[in-house]
Amino acid sequence: MKLGAFSVSLNVKDIHVSKEFYENLGFQVFGGDINQNWLIMKNENCIIGLFQGMFEKNILTFNPGWNENAENLEPFTDVREIQKQLKEKGVTMLSEAEESTEGPAHFIIEDPDGNQILFDQHR
């Protein structure tokens, strides 16, 4: 099971303050739109997403089909296949990808401590 790029999506109170803080740690804007209250920032292989007002908790994120530079991986495990394998292992889904579709899709699970994990395929 290839999970793709890993990042932490942070729920922030003020995206401008958080952007400056993480820039001081050496992160640079890699993607997103600060005017829409979200940014993706990167420091070497470390990726964080800053999201203001979009969700309540911090989220662990995997992007099947992408590496840490948002470049396509070949081969990769489709998000629906990852979902199927996890369901077969008894993992409970908080939201599910439609199994009959292709291309972009996502699903969410939660670990035993209540940490949400997003599997978000963009291709």
Side-chain angles (χ1 to χ4, degrees):
M1 182 181 326
K2 296 183 182 209
L3 303 180
F6 173 76
S7 63
V8 177
S9 300
L10 300 174
N11 173 26
V12 300
K13 295 175 186 171
D14 184 324
I15 196 160
H16 297 279
V17 171
S18 294
K19 175 183 177 282
E20 182 178 343
F21 176 84
Y22 285 101
E23 285 174 336
N24 288 334
L25 293 179
F27 283 84
Q28 297 177 340
V29 174
F30 182 67
D33 185 342
I34 199 163
N35 295 317
Q36 294 179 356
N37 291 328
W38 70 282
L39 291 174
I40 306 301
M41 300 187 75
K42 188 172 178 193
N43 180 337
E44 296 187 12
N45 291 341
C46 298
I47 304 168
I48 58 173
L50 306 178
F51 297 88
Q52 181 180 327
M54 295 187 181
F55 46 82
E56 293 182 21
K57 297 180 179 181
N58 297 333
I59 301 172
L60 305 175
T61 303
F62 293 98
N63 297 113
W66 273 5
N67 67 17
E68 64 272 358
N69 294 313
E71 299 167 333
N72 291 345
L73 291 173
E74 297 296 345
F76 74 97
T77 306
D78 186 87
V79 71
R80 286 157 284 268
E81 178 60 28
I82 295 170
Q83 176 179 279
K84 178 182 173 194
Q85 290 180 31
L86 293 176
K87 287 171 77 172
E88 288 172 354
K89 293 178 180 184
V91 175
T92 301
M93 303 287 133
L94 295 182
S95 71
E96 296 188 33
E98 176 57 50
E99 293 180 12
S100 65
T101 63
E102 295 181 1
H106 70 275
F107 70 90
I108 301 171
I109 62 174
E110 195 171 69
D111 77 8
D113 297 300
N115 299 302
Q116 290 188 355
I117 305 170
L118 169 66
F119 294 80
D120 192 16
Q121 181 174 305
H122 296 283
R123 55 182 277 221

